[in-house]
Amino acid sequence: MPTARDAVVPLDEQHTHTDLGWCLVTATREFKRLALEAMSDLPGGSRGYLVLKVAGRGQPQSQLSLARELGIDKTVMTYLLDELEQAGLIERRPDPNDRRARHIHVTRRGRSTLATCRETVAGVESTFLNTLGAKDAAKFRELLERLALADRVKPEDECGPAAPC
Amino acid sequence: MPTARDAVVPLDEQHTHTDLGWCLVTATREFKRLALEAMSDLPGGSRGYLVLKVAGRGQPQSQLSLARELGIDKTVMTYLLDELEQAGLIERRPDPNDRRARHIHVTRRGRSTLATCRETVAGVESTFLNTLGAKDAAKFRELLERLALADRVKPEDECGPAAPC
DNA sequence: TATTGTTATACTCTATAACTATA
DNA sequence: TATAGTTATAGAGTATAACAATA
């Protein structure tokens, strides 16, 4: 029932003021703003960066495996790769073992762009985490990563700590 | 099984793998999913909840001050309040001191709904934070809140070394 | 002239289904 | 029959500008 609770505002209530959802949305919004600003020239923005990063490591992957790994819909991945290919950062090559699939190959220019973006992202991240000290920033990264991985890693998936999904 | 690559990846590279942006987006997406699921009956979802919470405490506020506090556009706030008012959870009352503005008043039913939602949200939050222990969960909340508040309460942006203009 | 709130419009995302070519 | 990729369309969400009433 209504209660006079709101008028009194005990300490406990104060803590409720820390709304986890609001904090998540607000912090994420700000990070995206910084990232978009810093990578406005990259096709697909920060997601284009992620595609380059994931596609550029290890064996060439299909569009679908990239999409799944990044949590992007396969139809969105098509558009994203269109942009990246048009900019000359990736190429679609036929998978010799499955003619339905394409191997996503990061071009030389793509790798160069990726290297630049890594530095840009590092700058954005440190700007974003600037408020926390170095120690707390590291702690935050660790905890956030555990949360993000816990959300996505299904038991059968074998995404090690060095290769997060 | 991934991979022989993991052994090769240098420490520096390793750290780069922990993509802060991806983790933020992924964790936030999952939280929103949980919150939406739990509050599908509330008009405006988790944002409707936030409006009720903020509007229900202290002095009655105008639509604009609510919008600014929650980081919602004023035009979106109009639609949001339309829904909440239609559901009988809030009322728009004329501000006696400024006939342009409206005071947002949370109805008795709105307060009752809010109380229920508080419990629902608490459940969602603990589900979301479940992976971390109680101690790390508290730490995460603290760090995230500092980040979220730092983002919004910045007085005058200065272009730092990591984020050139 | 500036501000509160509303409305209308347009643009971006996302979700979905349908389609092709393969398997 | 199922899967990889593409395309088209609709819906949600958001951004923007214009407007009326008031300051």
Side-chain angles (χ1 to χ4, degrees):
Chain A
M1 283 322 181
T3 81
R5 185 166 34 119
D6 288 336
V8 183
V9 185
L11 282 179
D12 189 54
E13 190 73 8
Q14 187 86 4
H15 190 265
T16 311
H17 184 273
T18 312
D19 193 276
L20 184 62
W22 180 85
C23 289
L24 272 172
V25 168
T26 301
T28 301
R29 180 195 296 145
E30 174 65 5
F31 184 88
K32 282 166 121 174
R33 196 186 65 75
L34 289 172
L36 185 66
E37 194 175 68
M39 295 191 287
S40 57
D41 51 338
L42 183 71
S46 57
R47 271 199 312 197
Y49 161 70
L50 285 177
V51 169
L52 284 182
K53 198 168 85 168
V54 174
R57 67 163 202 253
Q59 289 298 104
Q61 296 184 65
S62 70
Q63 301 190 188
L64 202 57
S65 72
L66 284 177
R68 282 207 258 256
E69 182 159 346
L70 294 175
I72 299 174
D73 191 83
K74 67 170 182 171
T75 66
V76 176
M77 182 59 74
T78 297
Y79 302 132
L80 201 46
L81 293 175
D82 283 349
E83 291 183 70
L84 291 170
E85 189 167 38
Q86 200 166 354
L89 304 179
I90 61 107
E91 281 173 9
R92 288 184 240 232
R93 297 180 174 177
D95 179 340
N97 299 339
D98 185 343
R99 301 209 307 184
R100 295 171 304 179
R102 321 280 181 92
H103 276 169
I104 301 308
H105 179 258
V106 181
T107 64
R108 178 183 296 267
R109 183 195 286 183
R111 292 187 185 274
S112 162
T113 301
L114 177 57
T116 305
C117 281
R118 277 192 210 274
E119 296 171 25
T120 303
V121 168
V124 167
E125 292 183 351
S126 73
T127 298
F128 176 75
L129 295 171
N130 182 45
T131 310
L132 314 177
K135 196 178 168 190
D136 275 344
K139 184 70 175 171
F140 178 77
R141 297 186 82 116
E142 180 220 317
L143 297 177
L144 180 66
E145 187 186 10
R146 278 165 60 193
L147 284 172
L149 292 180
D151 292 341
R152 284 184 57 78
V153 173
K154 287 164 277 185
E156 62 267 27
D157 291 346
E158 193 65 32
C159 301
C165 302
Chain B
M1 275 308 263
T3 59
R5 174 171 36 89
D6 292 353
V8 184
V9 174
L11 281 179
D12 189 55
E13 190 75 4
Q14 179 100 353
H15 191 263
T16 311
H17 265 192
T18 313
D19 193 277
L20 185 62
W22 180 85
C23 289
L24 272 171
V25 168
T26 302
T28 301
R29 182 196 295 148
E30 174 65 6
F31 184 88
K32 281 167 124 174
R33 197 186 64 76
L34 289 172
L36 185 65
E37 192 176 69
M39 295 192 287
S40 57
D41 50 337
L42 183 72
S46 57
R47 273 201 308 200
Y49 161 71
L50 284 177
V51 169
L52 284 183
K53 199 168 84 167
V54 174
R57 69 162 199 254
Q59 290 297 104
Q61 296 184 65
S62 71
Q63 300 190 187
L64 202 57
S65 71
L66 284 177
R68 282 206 257 258
E69 181 157 348
L70 294 175
I72 299 174
D73 192 84
K74 67 172 182 171
T75 66
V76 175
M77 182 60 73
T78 298
Y79 303 132
L80 199 48
L81 292 174
D82 284 349
E83 289 183 71
L84 291 170
E85 188 166 38
Q86 199 166 355
L89 304 180
I90 62 105
E91 281 174 10
R92 286 184 241 232
R93 296 179 174 178
D95 179 342
N97 298 339
D98 184 343
R99 301 209 304 183
R100 294 172 304 179
R102 319 281 181 90
H103 277 168
I104 302 307
H105 178 259
V106 181
T107 64
R108 177 181 298 266
R109 182 195 284 184
R111 291 185 186 277
S112 164
T113 300
L114 177 57
T116 304
C117 281
R118 276 191 210 274
E119 296 171 27
T120 303
V121 168
V124 167
E125 291 183 351
S126 73
T127 298
F128 176 75
L129 294 172
N130 183 43
T131 310
L132 314 177
K135 195 178 169 189
D136 275 344
K139 183 69 175 174
F140 177 78
R141 297 186 81 117
E142 180 221 317
L143 297 177
L144 179 66
E145 187 188 9
R146 278 165 59 194
L147 285 172
L149 292 180
D151 291 342
R152 287 186 58 79
V153 187
K154 60 192 155 195
E156 195 64 32
D157 290 348
E158 198 64 41
C159 301
C165 300

